[in-house]
């Protein structure tokens, strides 16, 4: 390859990158679906592990773009902080339609059937990013 | 470059990649900090916009690794879904220590001073990823 040809290809590659960068669409607003579970028996490590495993498997549903599963963090105790729940399930979707497909999905329905006996309270917060 | 030298460099490059891939640490567990705000006057678009802008500015605090700010999504109404709040602030940290630094950070304290007159209820859920 000649020096001039190499330079030409280098410029071409730089220009293409510029075009791709400019063509990139604006970041899609995400819908967060945050579910808090209170176990019937909060002292049962077996029930906790079973629920955590069940929740983690929900990440296989294609509409779920991101999943964050956890337990109350050891942050400072304050009046406004609710750390009474057992498991937190935080999922991200690209639209309300995707969240609906997830709700009706066989894997989600199976999760409810096989785990709902473990909890006595659930609170859900659905948020659309602004 | 000779054919054999090219092949040698190609193998070397492949081996280096393998080493880098193996050396990569496991994905760090993240702490989610989810705050729900109930406005004193939920009908005020001005108060809503002011609170949203205030919350969004918290993303400038270096310990905040990701921020998701929103309002109740138009998902299906169900008994378990709480859509009574006005603004949702969801932040991700890399540790409880980072979350504490954030709590004490001047920008966060300024946010509370300048916006706390807008809300009459706040609920916080801190979750450590399992």
């Amino acid at each position: 390859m000649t020096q001039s040809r190499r330079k030409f290809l280098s410029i071409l590659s730089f220009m293409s990158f510029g075009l791709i960068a400019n063509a990139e669409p604006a970041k899609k607003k995400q819908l967060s679906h945050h579910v808090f579970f209170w176990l019937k028996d909060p002292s049962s490590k077996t029930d906790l592990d079973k629920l955590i495993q069940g929740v983690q498997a929900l990440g296989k549903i294609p509409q779920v773009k991101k999943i964050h599963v956890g337990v109350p963090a050891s942050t400072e105790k304050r009046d406004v902080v609710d750390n009474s729940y057992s498991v937190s399930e935080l999922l991200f979707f690209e639209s309300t339609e995707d969240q609906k497909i997830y709700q009706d999905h066989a894997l989600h329905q199976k999760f409810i059937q096989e785990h709902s006996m473990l909890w006595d309270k659930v609170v859900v917060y659905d948020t659309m990013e602004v």
Side-chain angles (χ1 to χ4, degrees), chain A:
Chain A
M1 206 187 289
T2 64
Q3 186 70 27
S4 65
R5 188 167 162 77
R6 209 175 272 140
K7 198 171 171 186
F8 169 74
L9 281 177
S10 160
I11 291 169
L12 194 69
S13 144
F14 184 76
M15 282 169 71
S16 310
F17 177 75
L19 282 171
I20 291 163
N22 284 333
E24 205 181 342
K27 193 181 159 281
K28 198 150 167 52
K29 303 285 182 197
Q30 284 199 315
L31 187 153
S32 69
H33 173 70
H34 208 160
V35 187
F36 296 95
F37 298 92
W38 281 261
L39 284 172
K40 271 183 193 158
D41 180 4
S43 68
S44 168
K45 178 82 171 69
T46 313
D47 288 1
L48 179 71
D49 289 347
K50 198 177 165 192
L51 182 54
I52 287 173
Q53 279 171 29
V55 166
Q56 281 173 330
L58 296 173
K60 288 176 197 154
I61 299 176
Q63 282 73 25
V64 176
K65 295 306 166 199
K66 226 191 87 173
I67 180 165
H68 181 277
V69 181
V71 295
S74 56
T75 46
E76 206 179 348
K77 303 289 167 272
R78 296 180 293 145
D79 283 350
V80 292
V81 178
D82 186 344
N83 63 359
S84 64
Y85 65 95
S86 307
V87 174
S88 151
E89 167 206 320
L90 173 56
L91 308 178
F92 289 91
F93 297 97
E94 286 188 348
S95 65
T96 47
E97 291 73 26
D98 274 9
Q99 200 270 158
K100 179 75 179 112
I101 294 169
Y102 159 84
Q103 287 292 339
D104 301 335
H105 197 284
L107 280 179
H108 181 233
Q109 292 301 319
K110 188 168 171 272
F111 162 76
I112 296 172
Q113 269 171 27
E114 292 178 358
H115 298 83
S116 60
M117 75 292 279
L118 298 175
W119 64 72
D120 69 358
K121 186 183 157 194
V122 172
V123 175
V124 181
Y125 298 93
D126 288 330
T127 300
M128 182 51 83
E129 197 171 9
V130 287

